[in-house]
RNA sequence: GCGAGGGUGGCCGAGUCUGGACAAAGGCGGCGGACUUAAGAUCCGCUCCCGUAGGGGUCCGUGGGUUCGAAUCCCUCCCCUCGCACCA
C-alpha cells in the first residue's frame, strides 16, 4: 500500500468530524478522570492563515492530543477576534479601490477577483477569512487536523460575548480599576478624526514624544508673556545662555488658557488639539522678538533672543532654548552668532560686547569629555560649521552619554550628583508642580494620513485600565509566581512587565467590538476585550439558548462567583457554573513570545482580579517566531506560505511534523521548502517500513496460532531484541517527559529520528526473519505509533488501525515496562559497536581487507583489576582515582608482582570506566565478554566478509593477544 | 543606553542548567559504494588535519582564570537578534 497522505488524511478528517471526536463534555466529577483545558489566542481574521499561524495552533493541539491519550477530558476551543480597526480599515481601503490592499489580498492569500465584493462589509470580510476563503483559518485548522471543539466558536463582535465583556468592564469600573484620564492619540487634522497606524500614508513608525515646555517669561509692556521653550532635556535648563527663534517664520502672541504665550503660528492648532484654548491676539515675523530678553523660571536669569535659521517653526512651539555647553548644535550656533555679533548688534540694537560675553554654562559632568562637553565633542570631531553633517552624529553620541553617565552639578540642589537618567523625570515633575514647566506632545517624524491631511497629536479624554494600581500589581505578581511558565526564563519577563506597566488606555473612537457600557461612543480595544474570554469558552455553546437580555451583571456574577453573590440568581447561570468550574482554570495557554509584554500579562492581571485564586491560569507556553526561507514572513509583500498549499503538496502530517520538529515551540524556526520535502520523504520511508511489518504480522497471524507461551514469546528474544526493547522503554519515558514540557522537537527527535537510527543498527545486526525479531519489530511499531500520534495524527491512526484494528487515538498512552529495561544489555551492545569501529578503523588505516578477524578477550588477573576499578568507581560517583585503585590492587600479591603491567591496565581501565555513565558502570564487571563477542560474530563476519574467531587471550600464543584489556579486546586481522 | 536571548564543524542545529562517553547528536549539502538499462527513490559507508594497528593534533566569537579535566563554571572584550509600549 502506497503512502498517499491526501487520501488517508481526508478519510480521518471526515471520520473525526462525523463522530464529533473532539467535542468536549465535562465528566462526572468522581475524580477518576482529569481534565485539561488548553487555549491559544483566537485568530484575527484581517487576512488569511499562513504557515506561522499553523504552528501556533498545532503546538497546543499536540498537547491536547497527548493529554487525551492519557485519558483526560480535554477542551481545545477556538473563536475569532474581530475587535478594533484592522478589519474596518482594510474594508475601507478596499472600498476605496486601493491597489496596495487588493494586491496584498490577491498575492498573499490568493483571493479571486470575484470574491472581492464579499469583502466590502467588516463582518463579511471577517467571515470570508474565518471560513470561506481557500486560505481561511477554519479550513486551515481542519485540514491540519486540529482537535478543536467547533461547537464553541464565536466572534468578539457577538451580542452575547459583548454582554460578557460588559460585565467585565462594569465590574472593573466599580472596583476603580478603570479610570478616566487623558492620553495622546494620532489625529487627522483634515478629517478631524483620530486615526490608527493602518490609516497612515507616512510616518507609520512615528512615536509620541513628550516635550517639556519651559515657561520662560518675557516682560512686554505691563504684560508677562510666556515663551515656552520646547525641549526633551529639561534638566539642562540651568545651562541656557540664550534662546532662538526663526526670524523668517510667522509667530503669534496668543491667549492660551488665559495667559499670554509667544509661539509659532503652526503651534496654535497643535495646542488646541492638546486641549488648550488658544486665541491669537497678534501676528508677526520671528524677527520681531530678536533682541528681547526672556527670564529663565528656574534660574531667574534673563537671556537674549537670537535669530537662527535652524529653528523649525513647525516643530513644537518654534521657540527653543540654547544650551551650548551640552548641545553641539547650540555650541556651533552660538559661535556663529558671536562671529556675526557686530551685524546683529547693529540690526537689533544690542550691545556687541554682551553678545560676545556669552559663555557656555556647564551643568553636568560626563566622563570622556572636558568641562564643556559640547566643545570637546565639536573640537574632537573637527567640526567648524553648523552645516557639517557630522554634527548630528556627535550630538546623538553626546546626548546618549550625558543621559547615561552625566552627573548634575551642585546647582541642582537635591539632584546634585545624580545621573541624568535617574533624575530627569523627577526633576521635571518637581518643576511642573511649581509651575515652571508644562507639557507638549509632538511626533518623532512627520505623519500624513491616507487622505493626505497632516496628522497631529491630540490629547484626549480616555479610560485607563489601572495596571499601575499597587493592589492589582501585587495580585498579578502572585499569579506569575504560581504559574508554570514555559520556558522558565519567561517568568521574569512577566514580572518585569508588571513592574513596567502604567495605565493602559483601553478604548478607541471606532472599530468593531464591545461598546463602553456607559459611553457607547467608545469601543473597548482589542487587547482589552480579550483577557478572560477563556472562561467564556467553557459555556459559549450553552449561551446560545439563553436570551441576550438575561445576560446581565447578575447572570455573570452568578456564573463566576456563585449563586450567593446575588439576590436572585438565574437558574441557567447556576447550572452553567458547574460546567465552567469543571473546565477552569486554564491549564495551558500557548501564545507568541511577543505577547508577554501585553496580552499575556493582561490575561494574568484580569484573572487575578476577577476570579478566585484556584481559577487563575496554571501555565503559559510561549512560542517563537517563524521565518520563511531565512526571511521574515510578510503578507503585504506576498512572502508567505499558505497551509492549504503546503498540505496539498506535502500532506498535513508532514506540515505538522516539520513545524513541530524545526525547533522547540519557544524558539524561532525557519520554513525551508527543501527541508519540508525531506520530512515528507522520511514519513514515507516510515510508512513503508510499517507496511512491511503490518503485512508480515497479517500473514503470520493468519498462518500461525497465537503464541500460547506464558511469557508471551519473550523466551524467543535474543540479546539484540532486548537491546531494542530496552531502548524503546527509554524512549517512552523521554517522549512523555518532553510532551509534558511542550518540547515537541525533543519528542519527535527521540521517538522518530533517534529511534530510526537504532532501528538501522538493529536491522544490520540481526536476522529479521526470526520470530523473536518479528514480534520485537511489531511491538516497537505499535508503541511508536502511539507516541507519535499527538504529533502526526493521520498517518499514525491509519497505521495503528491497520496493525491492531484500533485507531492510535483510542489506544492508551504507553507506560515503560520495567521488565524490559536492560542496562547491562545496553552496556554489552556498546562493546559490540566499539569493537566494530575498532576493526573498521584498523582495516582502513592499514589498508587491509581481512579474511580472518581474531578477537582476543582479556582474562585472568586483568578481570581482577577491572573489578577493583568498578568497585572504586561505584564508591566515588563514577570517577575512580588512580591512586586509590592502585592501592587496593597492590594489596593482592599476584598483581603486585606484575607491577608496571598492572599500572598500565589500571590507567586504561579508569579512562574507559570514566567514559561510562554511573548507571552502566556497575554492570561492567558482570559482562561475559567472550559470550557477547561470540554472539556478535555472525554479524561481524557479515559486515567484514571475513571469518571471525573469538578466543580468550590465555588460549593463544599470538603475541598480539597480550594487548587485550577488559572491555577492549585485542584484534588481529589476517 | 536599559532589558531579554544568542555567537558551536560547508550550512541548519543539539549539547551549556547538573564539567568527564565531545572531533562534538541529528538534518541538509558533498563524496564513495550497493541496487538500477538509466535517472529517481531506497540502503550502506565517509565527510577538521595527520597516521600501513584501534593512535595523535587542532577545534565550540575573543582574551584570561578555576579544575586532574571546560563547548559547558567565573571574569574581560567583540559581534548579532528582539523589546523599550498603547499596533494587533
Amino acid at each position: 500500500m502506497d503512502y498517499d497522505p491526501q487520501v488517508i488524511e481526508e478519510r480521518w478528517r471526515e471520520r473525526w468530524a462525523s463522530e464529533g471526536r473532539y467535542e468536549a463534555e465535562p465528566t462526572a466529577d468522581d475524580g477518576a478522570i482529569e481534565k485539561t483545558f488548553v487555549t491559544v489566542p483566537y485568530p484575527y481574521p484581517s487576512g488569511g492563515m499562513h504557515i506561522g499561524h499553523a504552528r501556533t495552533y498545532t503546538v497546543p493541539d499536540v498537547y491536547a492530543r497527548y493529554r487525551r491519550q492519557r485519558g483526560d477530558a480535554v477542551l481545545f476551543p477556538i473563536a475569532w477576534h474581530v475587535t478594533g480597526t484592522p478589519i474596518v480599515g482594510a474594508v475601507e481601503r478596499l472600498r476605496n479601490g486601493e491597489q496596495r490592499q487588493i494586491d496584498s489580498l490577491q498575492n498573499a492569500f490568493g483571493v479571486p477577483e470575484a470574491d472581492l465584493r464579499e469583502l466590502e462589509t467588516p463582518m463579511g470580510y471577517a467571515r470570508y477569512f474565518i471560513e470561506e476563503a481557500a486560505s481561511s483559518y477554519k479550513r486551515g485548522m481542519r485540514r491540519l487536523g486540529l482537535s478543536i471543539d467547533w461547537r464553541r466558536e464565536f466572534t468578539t463582535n457577538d451580542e452575547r460575548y459583548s454582554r460578557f465583556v460588559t460585565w467585565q468592564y462594569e465590574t472593573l469600573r466599580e472596583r476603580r480599576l478603570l479610570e478616566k484620564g487623558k492620553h495622546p492619540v494620532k489625529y487627522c487634522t483634515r478629517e478631524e478624526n483620530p486615526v490608527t497606524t493602518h490609516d497612515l500614508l507616512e510616518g507609520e513608525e512615528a512615536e509620541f514624544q513628550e516635550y517639556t515646555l519651559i515657561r520662560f517669561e518675557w516682560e512686554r509692556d505691563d504684560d508677562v508673556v510666556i515663551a515656552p521653550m520646547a525641549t526633551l532635556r529639561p534638566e539642562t535648563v540651568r545651562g541656557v545662555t540664550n534662546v532662538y527663534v526663526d526670524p523668517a517664520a510667522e509667530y503669534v502672541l496668543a491667549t492660551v488658557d488665559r495667559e499670554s504665550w509667544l509661539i509659532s503660528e503652526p503651534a496654535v492648532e497643535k495646542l488646541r488639539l492638546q486641549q488648550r484654548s488658544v486665541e491669537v491676539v497678534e501676528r508677526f515675523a520671528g524677527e520681531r522678538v530678536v533682541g528681547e530678553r526672556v527670564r529663565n523660571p528656574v534660574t531667574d536669569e534673563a537671556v537674549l533672543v537670537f535669530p537662527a535659521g535652524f529653528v523649525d517653526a513647525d516643530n513644537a512651539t518654534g521657540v527653543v532654548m540654547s544650551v551650548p555647553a551640552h548641545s553641539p548644535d547650540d555650541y556651533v550656533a552660538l559661535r556663529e552668532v558671536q562671529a556675526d555679533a557686530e551685524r546683529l548688534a547693529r540690526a537689533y540694537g544690542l550691545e556687541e560686547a554682551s553678545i560676545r560675553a556669552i559663555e557656555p554654562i556647564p551643568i553636568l559632568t560626563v566622563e570622556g569629555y572636558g568641562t564643556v562637553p559640547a566643545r570637546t565633542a565639536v573640537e574632537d570631531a573637527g567640526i567648524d560649521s553648523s552645516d557639517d553633517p557630522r554634527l548630528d552624529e556627535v550630538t546623538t553620541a553626546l546626548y546618549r552619554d550625558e543621559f547615561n553617565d552625566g552627573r548634575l552639578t551642585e546647582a541642582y540642589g537635591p539632584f546634585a550628583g545624580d545621573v541624568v537618567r535617574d533624575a530627569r523625570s523627577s526633576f521635571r515633575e518637581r518643576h511642573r508642580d511649581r509651575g515652571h514647566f508644562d507639557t507638549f506632545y509632538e511626533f518623532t517624524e512627520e505623519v500624513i494620513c491616507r487622505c493626505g491631511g497632516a496628522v497631529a497629536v491630540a490629547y484626549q479624554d480616555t479610560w485607563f485600565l489601572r495596571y499601575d494600581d499597587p493592589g492589582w500589581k501585587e495580585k498579578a505578581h502572585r499569579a506569575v509566581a504560581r504559574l508554570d511558565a514555559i520556558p522558565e526564563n519567561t517568568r521574569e519577563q512577566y514580572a518585569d512587565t508588571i513592574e513596567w506597566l502604567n495605565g493602559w488606555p483601553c478604548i478607541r473612537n471606532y472599530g468593531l467590538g464591545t461598546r463602553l457600557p456607559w459611553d457607547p461612543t467608545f469601543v473597548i480595544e482589542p487587547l482589552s476585550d480579550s483577557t478572560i474570554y477563556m472562561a467564556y469558552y467553557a459555556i459559549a455553546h450553552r449561551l446560545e439558548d439563553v436570551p441576550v437580555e438575561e445576560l446581565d451583571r447578575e447572570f455573570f456574577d452568578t456564573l463566576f462567583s456563585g449563586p450567593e453573590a446575588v439576590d436572585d440568581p438565574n437558574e441557567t447561570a447556576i447550572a452553567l457554573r458547574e460546567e465552567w468550574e469543571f473546565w477552569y482554570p486554564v491549564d495551558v495557554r500557548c501564545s507568541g513570545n511577543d505577547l508577554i509584554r501585553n496580552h499575556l500579562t493582561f490575561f494574568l492581571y484580569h484573572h487575578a482580579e476577577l476570579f478566585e485564586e484556584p481559577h487563575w491560569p496554571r501555565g503559559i507556553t510561549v512560542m517563537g517566531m517563524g521565518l520563511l526561507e531565512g526571511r521574515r514572513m510578510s503578507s503585504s509583500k506576498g512572502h508567505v506560505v499558505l497551509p492549504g498549499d503546503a498540505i496539498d503538496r506535502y500532506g498535513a502530517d508532514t506540515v505538522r511534523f516539520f513545524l513541530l520538529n524545526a525547533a522547540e515551540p519557544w524558539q524561532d524556526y525557519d520554513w525551508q521548502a527543501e527541508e519540508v520535502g525531506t520530512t515528507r520523504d522520511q514519513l514515507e520511508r516510515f510508512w513503508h517500513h510499517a507496511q512491511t511489518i503490518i503485512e508480515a504480522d497479517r500473514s503470520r497471524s493468519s498462518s500461525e496460532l497465537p503464541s500460547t507461551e506464558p511469557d508471551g514469546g519473550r523466551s524467543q528474544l535474543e540479546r539484540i531484541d532486548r537491546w531494542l526493547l530496552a531502548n524503546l522503554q527509554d524512549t517512552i519515558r523521554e517522549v512523555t517527559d518532553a510532551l509534558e514540557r511542550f518540547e515537541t522537537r525533543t519528542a519527535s527527535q527521540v521517538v522518530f529520528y533517534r529511534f530510526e537510527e537504532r532501528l538501522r543498527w538493529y536491522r544490520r545486526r540481526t536476522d529479521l526473519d526470526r520470530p523473536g525479531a518479528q514480534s520485537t519489530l511489531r511491538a516497537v511499531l505499535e508503541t511508536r505509533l502511539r507516541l507519535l500520534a499527538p504529533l502526526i495524527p493521520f498517518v499514525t491512526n491509519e497505521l495503528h488501525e491497520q496493525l491492531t484494528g484500533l485507531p492510535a487515538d483510542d489506544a492508551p498512552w504507553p507506560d515503560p515496562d520495567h521488565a524490559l529495561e536492560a542496562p547491562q544489555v545496553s552496556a554489552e551492545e556498546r562493546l559490540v559497536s566499539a569493537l566494530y569501529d575498532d576493526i573498521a578503523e584498523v582495516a582502513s588505516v592499514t589498508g587491509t581487507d581481512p579474511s580472518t578477524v581474531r578477537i582476543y578477550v582479556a582474562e585472568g588477573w586483568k578481570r581482577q583489576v577491572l573489578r577493583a576499578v568498578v568497585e572504586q568507581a561505584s564508591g566515588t560517583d563514577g570517577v575512580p582515582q588512580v591512586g586509590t585503585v592502585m592501592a587496593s590492587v597492590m594489596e593482592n600479591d599476584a598483581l603486585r608482582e606484575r607491577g608496571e603491567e598492572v599500572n598500565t591496565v589500571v590507567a586504561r581501565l579508569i579512562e574507559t570506566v570514566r567514559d561510562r555513565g554511573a548507571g552502566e558502570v556497575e554492570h561492567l564487571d558482570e559482562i561475559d565478554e567472550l559470550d557477547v563477542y561470540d554472539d556478535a560474530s555472525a554479524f561481524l563476519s557479515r559486515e567484514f566478509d571475513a571469518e571471525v574467531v573469538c578466543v580468550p587471550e590465555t588460549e593463544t600464543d599470538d603475541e598480539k593477544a597480550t594487548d587485550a584489556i577488559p572491555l577492549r579486546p585485542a584484534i588481529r586481522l589476517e
Side-chain angles (χ1 to χ4, degrees):
Chain A
M1 197 173 166
D2 278 341
Y3 180 50
D4 186 343
Q6 302 305 337
V7 172
I8 296 166
E9 291 172 3
E10 191 50 31
R11 196 158 63 223
W12 286 94
R13 272 179 210 119
E14 282 168 13
R15 201 160 142 181
W16 291 332
S18 68
E19 286 173 2
R21 185 74 181 76
Y22 302 117
E23 293 177 2
E25 291 297 332
T27 48
D29 189 14
D30 55 5
I33 292 184
E34 289 185 42
K35 67 91 191 176
T36 294
F37 182 17
V38 46
T39 72
V40 64
Y42 37 32
Y44 203 100
S46 57
M49 181 178 184
H50 62 60
I51 205 73
H53 301 121
R55 190 171 87 137
T56 307
Y57 309 126
T58 302
V59 168
D61 181 63
V62 171
Y63 189 72
R65 286 178 173 277
Y66 159 70
R67 293 303 313 184
R68 224 175 261 120
Q69 269 179 274
R70 298 212 71 169
D72 284 12
V74 174
L75 174 56
F76 179 30
I78 204 82
W80 315 101
H81 202 192
V82 300
T83 306
T85 55
I87 290 175
V88 181
V91 167
E92 237 159 64
R93 290 194 290 279
L94 208 56
R95 280 213 202 108
N96 295 341
E98 283 186 33
Q99 202 53 44
R100 203 163 78 166
Q101 181 71 27
I102 295 170
D103 286 352
S104 145
L105 291 174
Q106 293 185 332
N107 298 342
F109 300 114
V111 177
E113 190 78 38
D115 287 359
L116 286 175
R117 248 184 318 124
E118 282 190 54
L119 307 183
E120 294 193 350
T121 65
M123 287 314 286
Y125 187 104
R127 195 45 62 196
Y128 184 78
F129 284 113
I130 290 171
E131 55 194 350
E132 285 159 28
S135 60
S136 80
Y137 279 89
K138 208 161 167 179
R139 209 179 286 260
M141 289 172 167
R142 282 188 191 277
R143 292 198 67 193
L144 281 166
L146 303 188
S147 58
I148 289 170
D149 181 350
W150 288 104
R151 299 168 306 161
R152 298 165 192 260
E153 57 175 321
F154 57 87
T155 78
T156 56
N157 207 35
D158 290 355
E159 269 185 308
R160 289 177 174 79
Y161 184 75
S162 279
R163 304 293 280 218
F164 166 71
V165 174
T166 299
W167 164 81
Q168 178 185 6
Y169 276 79
E170 284 180 340
T171 305
L172 290 171
R173 185 196 190 190
E174 208 168 88
R175 300 187 187 179
R176 300 187 158 272
L177 293 173
L178 198 61
E179 279 187 355
K180 216 169 176 172
K182 288 200 195 313
H183 181 71
V185 298
K186 292 176 180 140
Y187 186 91
C188 173
T189 52
R190 184 155 138 191
E191 299 173 320
E192 302 191 343
N193 231 329
V195 289
T196 70
T197 308
H198 292 266
D199 303 319
L200 301 179
L201 198 61
E202 272 173 46
E204 293 179 30
E205 304 286 303
E207 288 171 20
F208 295 105
Q209 227 164 18
E210 186 181 332
Y211 280 86
T212 301
L213 297 185
I214 299 184
R215 294 161 52 93
F216 277 60
E217 291 175 1
W218 172 31
E219 287 183 25
R220 185 178 184 249
D221 306 330
D222 297 331
D223 201 12
V224 173
V225 176
I226 303 296
M229 308 295 154
T231 179
L232 292 168
R233 305 204 298 160
E235 73 283 355
T236 59
V237 64
R238 287 182 172 276
V240 176
T241 57
N242 62 282
V243 307
Y244 292 114
V245 293
D246 177 358
E250 187 179 358
Y251 282 77
V252 303
L253 201 63
T255 306
V256 177
D257 295 337
R258 280 176 288 181
E259 295 175 331
S260 281
W261 281 31
L262 169 69
I263 48 176
S264 69
E265 201 279 335
V268 171
E269 199 47 45
K270 292 179 186 171
L271 281 168
R272 284 199 182 119
L273 284 172
Q274 294 180 29
Q275 306 252 320
R276 303 200 184 245
S277 79
V278 185
E279 285 309 319
V280 175
V281 174
E282 202 181 331
R283 293 169 187 274
F284 41 78
E287 199 174 27
R288 160 77 181 71
V289 293
V290 171
E292 299 289 339
R293 283 181 184 272
V294 291
R295 199 174 53 82
N296 185 325
V298 175
T299 62
D300 244 8
E301 303 283 324
V303 297
L304 281 169
V305 179
F306 289 144
F310 67 79
V311 172
D312 180 2
D314 277 328
N315 193 283
T317 55
V319 209
V320 299
M321 61 192 204
S322 163
V323 186
H326 300 289
S327 160
D329 284 323
D330 290 347
Y331 181 80
V332 173
L334 178 63
R335 286 212 315 209
E336 287 176 356
V337 164
Q338 288 175 327
D340 197 24
E342 191 186 337
R343 191 190 63 80
L344 283 173
R346 210 172 331 110
Y348 298 103
L350 299 170
E351 283 177 42
E352 197 181 324
S354 62
I355 299 177
R356 293 198 192 278
I358 297 175
E359 283 293 329
I361 306 170
I363 54 98
L364 57 78
T365 56
V366 56
E367 230 172 282
Y369 296 87
T371 46
V372 177
R375 178 186 293 149
T376 315
V378 167
E379 287 175 357
D380 286 359
I383 294 170
D384 51 15
S385 149
S386 55
D387 300 328
D388 197 316
R390 287 171 306 159
L391 201 49
D392 262 358
E393 287 168 39
V394 286
T395 300
T396 311
L398 180 60
Y399 279 21
R400 189 191 58 219
D401 292 342
E402 290 190 340
F403 181 66
N404 293 303
D405 296 326
R407 293 186 180 278
L408 296 169
T409 58
E410 291 309 314
Y412 281 81
F415 298 99
D418 286 1
V419 174
V420 172
R421 63 175 309 133
D422 301 328
R424 179 177 288 169
S425 72
S426 39
F427 180 79
R428 184 174 53 206
E429 296 308 319
R430 181 186 177 93
H431 287 283
R432 196 179 284 161
D433 293 346
R434 294 182 175 183
H436 297 157
F437 293 178
D438 228 315
T439 302
F440 185 91
Y441 292 94
E442 185 67 281
F443 291 120
T444 47
E445 56 185 284
E446 192 177 18
V447 184
I448 308 285
C449 178
R450 277 171 185 263
C451 77
V455 174
V457 182
Y459 198 56
Q460 288 202 330
D461 275 336
T462 191
W463 285 83
F464 285 85
L465 281 163
R466 293 289 313 278
Y467 292 137
D468 50 347
D469 178 84
W472 203 2
K473 275 194 190 222
E474 196 273 323
K475 280 185 200 169
H477 275 300
R478 265 174 28 224
V480 171
R482 65 200 290 287
L483 189 72
D484 185 11
I486 297 178
E488 179 57 38
N489 66 15
T490 55
R491 185 185 307 282
E492 208 183 311
Q493 296 182 50
Y494 296 112
D496 280 352
T497 304
I498 293 169
E499 279 311 298
W500 159 91
L501 272 171
N502 299 133
W504 181 272
C506 65
I507 54 169
R508 297 289 180 269
N509 294 71
Y510 60 96
L512 298 176
T514 302
R515 304 266 139 195
L516 191 66
W518 51 90
D519 187 350
T521 57
F522 292 111
V523 55
I524 296 169
E525 64 88 37
L527 283 164
S528 300
D529 81 336
S530 56
T531 57
I532 54 165
Y533 66 92
M534 313 78 202
Y536 192 83
Y537 279 133
I539 39 97
H541 55 313
R542 306 270 185 246
L543 289 185
E544 296 297 315
D545 305 327
V546 182
V548 176
E549 313 78 65
E550 279 186 35
L551 301 176
D552 54 13
R553 285 285 298 279
E554 284 73 30
F555 183 93
F556 289 107
D557 281 340
T558 308
L559 178 53
F560 297 124
S561 305
E564 57 285 352
V566 300
D567 295 337
D568 180 20
N570 177 303
E571 286 305 315
T572 316
I574 296 174
L576 293 183
R577 176 169 171 77
E578 267 183 51
E579 204 152 324
W580 174 70
E581 285 204 294
F582 176 82
W583 292 117
Y584 242 58
V586 173
D587 291 279
V588 195
R589 181 152 185 87
C590 295
S591 187
N593 56 17
D594 52 329
L595 295 182
I596 293 177
R597 274 186 106 67
N598 46 51
H599 166 260
L600 288 170
T601 302
F602 297 175
F603 161 69
L604 294 172
Y605 259 98
H606 287 253
H607 274 82
E609 177 60 35
L610 294 165
F611 301 116
E612 295 301 312
E613 192 157 338
H615 291 136
W616 292 3
R618 288 214 176 113
I620 299 180
T621 296
V622 140
M623 277 185 274
M625 294 289 184
L627 297 177
L628 174 52
E629 306 292 350
R631 281 165 47 216
R632 258 212 146 123
M633 286 184 228
S634 157
S635 38
S636 60
K637 290 184 191 123
H639 185 60
V640 287
V641 168
L642 302 182
D645 294 343
I647 292 171
D648 285 343
R649 185 154 168 207
Y650 305 105
D653 279 323
T654 297
V655 171
R656 289 175 65 111
F657 204 41
F658 178 82
L659 292 171
L660 296 166
N661 191 31
E664 298 294 6
W666 48 89
Q667 297 173 323
D668 294 350
Y669 66 98
D670 190 6
W671 176 277
Q672 293 173 276
E674 201 176 294
E675 303 278 327
V676 182
T678 307
T679 305
R680 155 73 207 242
D681 294 344
Q682 281 154 344
L683 282 184
E684 184 155 4
R685 202 177 309 158
F686 178 79
W687 169 272
H688 287 302
H689 277 137
Q691 287 301 322
T692 314
I693 295 166
I694 290 166
E695 277 156 29
D697 187 58
R698 280 196 187 130
S699 61
R700 201 167 57 241
S701 48
S702 58
S703 66
E704 287 171 23
L705 292 170
S707 165
T708 49
E709 292 169 65
D711 66 352
R714 275 180 195 172
S715 57
Q716 300 176 32
L717 298 182
E718 294 188 358
R719 179 179 276 128
I720 191 66
D721 302 325
R722 293 182 189 285
W723 172 79
L724 192 67
L725 291 167
N727 268 299
L728 185 66
Q729 309 316 307
D730 290 344
T731 301
I732 294 171
R733 202 171 296 107
E734 288 173 50
V735 170
T736 306
D737 288 350
L739 288 182
E740 278 300 332
R741 295 190 306 262
F742 277 84
E743 291 165 2
T744 58
R745 178 185 155 87
T746 301
S748 33
Q749 289 284 335
V750 167
V751 62
F752 194 82
Y753 293 99
R754 196 182 71 188
F755 212 91
E756 284 297 313
E757 211 187 322
R758 302 280 152 85
L759 273 171
R760 271 207 294 277
W761 176 253
Y762 178 79
R763 288 193 196 101
R764 278 168 74 190
R765 238 338 232 107
T766 192
D767 169 17
L768 298 176
D769 294 329
R770 285 182 298 112
Q774 292 281 314
S775 69
T776 301
L777 284 172
R778 190 196 177 287
V780 162
L781 176 62
E782 187 178 331
T783 300
R784 287 178 78 212
L785 287 172
R786 294 185 196 180
L787 295 174
L788 283 164
L791 304 160
I792 41 174
F794 298 103
V795 70
T796 50
N797 272 293
E798 175 70 25
L799 289 170
H800 197 276
E801 191 173 58
Q802 288 181 17
L803 183 67
T804 68
L806 200 68
D809 261 2
D810 295 339
W813 188 254
D815 279 322
D817 180 349
H818 295 296
L820 292 173
E821 313 220 12
Q824 185 176 329
V825 173
S826 302
E828 289 168 354
E829 196 56 24
R830 272 187 60 162
L831 294 182
V832 175
S833 89
L835 177 59
Y836 172 89
D837 288 346
D838 282 345
I839 297 170
E841 178 158 5
V842 173
S844 136
V845 169
T846 59
T848 39
D849 181 10
S851 55
T852 307
V853 177
R854 293 185 195 284
I855 296 164
Y856 302 123
V857 181
E859 279 288 348
W861 64 271
K862 292 178 181 170
R863 302 280 313 181
Q864 278 182 286
V865 175
L866 174 65
R867 194 160 311 120
V869 172
V870 168
E871 268 165 26
Q872 283 300 317
S874 13
T876 57
D877 230 9
V879 191
Q881 296 298 316
V882 183
T884 47
V885 174
M886 282 306 285
S888 87
V889 164
M890 286 305 170
E891 281 169 19
N892 180 310
D893 296 342
L895 291 177
R896 192 167 54 237
E897 276 169 28
R898 295 185 182 266
E900 199 48 35
E901 221 182 335
V902 173
N903 199 20
T904 313
V905 173
V906 167
R908 302 243 354 229
L909 278 176
I910 284 177
E911 233 174 89
T912 321
V913 167
R914 269 185 185 170
D915 288 353
R916 314 268 165 162
E920 217 175 285
V921 168
E922 50 187 296
H923 299 285
L924 291 179
D925 74 328
E926 292 161 18
I927 292 175
D928 181 346
E929 274 191 83
L930 195 60
D931 184 48
V932 170
Y933 302 139
D934 245 343
D935 205 39
S937 60
F939 158 69
L940 294 172
S941 164
R942 229 173 17 249
E943 288 287 325
F944 294 104
D945 192 20
E947 191 192 348
V948 174
V949 191
C950 307
V951 201
E953 65 167 313
T954 46
E955 288 171 29
T956 176
D957 43 16
D958 188 343
E959 266 298 293
K960 189 82 207 165
T962 57
D963 288 350
I965 58 167
L967 312 178
R968 197 87 200 262
I971 299 162
R972 174 167 301 277
L973 302 187
E974 287 164 6

